Amino acid sequence: FEHLFQESPHLVATLHGPQHVFESVNPAYVRLLRRDTTGLTFREGQPEAEPSGLFELLDRVYASGETVKSREHPVRVAGRLGYFNFIIAARRDWEGRVDGVTLLATDLTEVVRARRAAETAHRELREFIAQFPSPMCLFQGPELVFTLVNDAVIHCTAKRE
């Protein structure tokens, strides 16, 4: 397990007690935060994460023992807004009482930004084609399937019928 913890590209942290004190953080987590937060509370180690609701989620998991998952959750980290898939699970002592939580996260920031950029570019292309005064259309694939046509194309083809 130690090798996986050290080598994982995912962010892994174990937090102890109701104050969520960092017991251990893997190197990927340290790189993201640009510092080792071992021994600090989560609030001390990641104060800019407060608006994201993470503090409340940690409290909820610790109090209830129920696992929480989130996808593309926005969190401010080390001065930048990032997007993370994460799971927060209760950790139990030998008597079954919750004594901490484990946080496992994947940084999806670049994936989310790339998808949003592609969505913006696609929307702008659709708007450009729709507003172009001459007939214009967009084909897709070797079969040249129409995926987008503007009103000028529709007007031209309607005249021929």
Side-chain angles (χ1 to χ4, degrees), residues 14-87:
T14 58
L15 307 165
H16 181 74
Q19 297 301 313
H20 314 299
V21 175
F22 282 99
E23 277 184 331
S24 58
V25 292
N26 73 338
Y29 208 115
V30 171
R31 280 191 303 275
L32 177 76
L33 296 180
R34 300 182 187 143
R35 65 186 180 131
D36 188 350
T37 54
T38 303
L40 300 176
T41 66
F42 194 85
R43 287 183 186 275
E44 295 166 336
Q46 288 190 248
E48 56 192 354
E50 184 169 7
S52 69
L54 269 179
F55 298 163
E56 292 79 10
L57 291 175
L58 291 169
D59 289 342
R60 188 170 91 201
V61 171
Y62 188 86
S64 71
E66 294 180 15
T67 298
V68 170
K69 299 175 187 176
S70 187
R71 299 184 54 79
E72 295 185 7
H73 195 95
V75 180
R76 186 158 292 284
V77 178
R80 71 178 179 95
L81 182 62
Y83 297 90
F84 300 86
N85 282 358
F86 64 78
I87 183 168

Side-chain angles (χ1 to χ4, degrees), residues 40-158:
L40 300 176
T41 66
F42 194 85
R43 287 183 186 275
E44 295 166 336
Q46 288 190 248
E48 56 192 354
E50 184 169 7
S52 69
L54 269 179
F55 298 163
E56 292 79 10
L57 291 175
L58 291 169
D59 289 342
R60 188 170 91 201
V61 171
Y62 188 86
S64 71
E66 294 180 15
T67 298
V68 170
K69 299 175 187 176
S70 187
R71 299 184 54 79
E72 295 185 7
H73 195 95
V75 180
R76 186 158 292 284
V77 178
R80 71 178 179 95
L81 182 62
Y83 297 90
F84 300 86
N85 282 358
F86 64 78
I87 183 168
I88 302 171
R91 188 186 64 196
R92 299 178 184 276
D93 65 16
W94 61 276
E95 293 179 340
R97 294 179 301 223
V98 175
D99 70 351
V101 298
T102 301
L103 171 65
L104 175 65
T106 304
D107 186 352
L108 297 176
T109 304
E110 296 308 316
V111 172
V112 170
R113 287 182 181 157
R115 186 187 69 237
R116 289 182 177 176
E119 289 168 351
T120 298
H122 185 71
R123 184 180 64 253
E124 289 171 353
L125 176 62
R126 293 178 69 86
E127 290 170 2
F128 174 78
I129 290 173
Q131 295 172 4
F132 201 75
S134 299
M136 184 178 273
C137 55
L138 184 63
F139 299 101
Q140 185 173 347
E143 294 85 23
L144 300 176
V145 175
F146 285 98
T147 57
L148 182 62
V149 297
N150 67 2
D151 288 341
V153 170
I154 295 168
H155 182 70
C156 285
T157 56

